[in-house]
């Protein structure tokens, strides 16, 4: 059985790690290279580095920061934000990324997912989906792009199935409603997507305690849990989370592995 993963997320804007609530009200959370190193030696299974303003501002990911961050870690490292071409993917992989996360570009050019998977392998291509629950009276979730600023009108479940068929190796699923609230992951959303596709799903948005993480794995059927505020603010450590989940019978990789 593949081990469940804990993945700290570094949302970066203007060279600094930031954190907000529901994608707004961003506050400074530290230096990306320092945090990446800290989480790497702390026993995190992977890292995600997202230049969250790249697509909105129409610029490419900060390759120099990616390069320095990659040299600071010894664990797999996903990079996303403003990537819109095979050349952009190549540049970031050469800068040290292990995987590339596509969001807005995947919606605009779905063929980029297919071509990226064919050229670099499905294991390198992650599709990030920012989901927001529809208004009362209508069920389901819509896909948002450009840092959560634009509703595409795409249905999250249909889009998830499409990107899996295109060759994506993994889905990074963020609940915009839960982002930064520490009220728990959207388990209904996570389970619905996990049950719809045959590829791993990373739950993101809303972790407030260890039990939220456990439920994302057990009830949401996620393969990994993305963590930000809990770790950045020092509420919990990777070691504390892993020890607790291991004691409760979850298949988590121990720190000393």
């Amino acid at each position: 059985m593949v081990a469940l993963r804990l993945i700290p997320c570094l949302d970066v804007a203007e060279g600094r790690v930031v954190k907000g609530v529901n994608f707004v009200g961003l506050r400074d959370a530290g230096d990306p290279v320092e945090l990446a190193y800290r989480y790497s030696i702390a026993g995190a299974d992977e890292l995600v580095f997202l230049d969250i303003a790249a697509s909105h501002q129409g610029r490419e990911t900060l390759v120099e920061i990616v390069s320095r961050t990659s040299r600071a870690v010894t664990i797999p490292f996903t990079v996303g934000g403003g990537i819109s071409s095979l050349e952009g993917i190549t540049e970031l992989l050469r800068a040290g990324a292990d995987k590339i996360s596509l969001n807005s570009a995947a919606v605009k050019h779905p063929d980029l997912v297919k071509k990226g998977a064919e050229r670099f392998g499905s294991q390198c291509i992650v599709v990030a989906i920012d989901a927001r629950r529809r208004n009362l009276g209508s069920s389901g979730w819509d896909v948002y792009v450009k840092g959560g600023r634009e509703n595409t009108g795409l249905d999250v479940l249909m889009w998830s199935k499409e990107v899996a068929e295109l060759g994506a190796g993994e889905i990074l699923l963020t609940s915009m409603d839960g982002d930064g609230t520490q009220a728990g992951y959207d388990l209904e959303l996570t389970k619905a997507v996990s049950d719809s596709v045959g590829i791993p799903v990373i739950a993101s948005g809303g972790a407030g305690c260890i039990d939220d993480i456990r439920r994302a794995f057990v009830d949401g059927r996620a393969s990994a849990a993305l963590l930000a505020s809990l770790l950045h603010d020092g509420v919990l450590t990777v070691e504390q989370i892993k020890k607790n989940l291991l004691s409760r019978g979850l298949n988590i990789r121990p720190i000393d592995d």
Side-chain angles (χ1 to χ4, degrees):
M1 182 184 295
V2 177
L4 302 169
R5 292 166 290 151
L6 298 179
I7 307 177
C9 181
L10 308 178
D11 287 335
V12 176
E14 299 182 1
R16 298 288 293 179
V17 176
V18 296
K19 197 70 194 83
V21 178
N22 305 133
F23 281 41
V24 296
L26 300 180
R27 57 182 171 80
D28 189 281
D31 177 78
V33 179
E34 291 178 3
L35 285 174
Y37 174 74
R38 182 193 308 171
Y39 295 139
S40 180
I41 64 173
D45 299 300
E46 297 184 18
L47 287 167
V48 167
F49 173 100
L50 298 176
D51 188 349
I52 61 172
S55 294
H56 170 59
Q57 296 178 356
R59 58 176 169 76
E60 296 181 352
T61 304
L62 301 178
V63 176
E64 188 269 336
I65 293 180
V66 171
S67 179
R68 289 195 294 117
T69 303
S70 70
R71 292 196 298 271
V73 304
T74 58
I75 54 178
F77 182 42
T78 300
V79 178
I83 306 163
S84 58
S85 66
L86 290 176
E87 291 74 20
I89 295 174
T90 301
E91 183 178 26
L92 288 166
L93 292 175
R94 286 176 175 168
D98 296 283
K99 306 178 188 179
I100 299 302
S101 175
L102 303 172
N103 188 336
S104 299
V107 172
K108 189 174 182 179
H109 303 292
D111 200 45
L112 181 61
V113 177
K114 183 174 186 293
K115 290 179 178 178
E118 290 173 347
R119 178 174 296 188
F120 306 106
S122 291
Q123 79 285 348
C124 281
I125 305 300
V126 178
V127 171
I129 299 177
D130 294 334
R132 172 164 279 168
R133 192 178 292 270
R134 298 191 184 106
N135 294 330
L136 293 176
S138 57
S139 62
W141 305 265
D142 288 325
V143 175
Y144 281 70
V145 294
K146 296 185 179 179
R149 294 171 179 82
E150 181 179 306
N151 186 352
T152 66
L154 290 171
D155 177 77
V156 167
L157 296 186
M158 295 297 293
W159 178 234
S160 299
K161 293 175 185 177
E162 183 175 346
V163 300
E165 291 171 357
L166 286 168
E170 197 161 26
I171 290 173
L172 170 52
L173 179 66
T174 299
S175 165
M176 292 181 61
D177 303 296
D179 177 69
T181 65
Q182 298 191 21
Y185 296 100
D186 187 330
L187 299 177
E188 182 184 356
L189 167 66
T190 305
K191 182 179 183 297
V193 174
S194 297
D195 287 347
S196 297
V197 298
I199 58 176
V201 173
I202 305 169
S204 171
C209 62
I210 292 176
D211 200 53
D212 288 338
I213 302 167
R214 184 194 66 81
R215 293 184 68 194
F217 291 136
V218 176
D219 301 326
R221 301 185 186 177
S223 297
L226 206 71
L227 304 168
S229 300
L230 275 182
L231 298 179
H232 299 340
D233 295 340
V235 177
L236 290 169
T237 66
V238 173
E239 182 178 16
Q240 288 172 327
I241 297 168
K242 285 199 167 190
K243 284 184 175 179
N244 182 283
L245 295 179
L246 280 166
S247 72
R248 297 162 84 175
L250 272 71
N251 184 31
I252 300 290
R253 185 178 294 108
I255 293 290
D256 57 358
D257 267 17

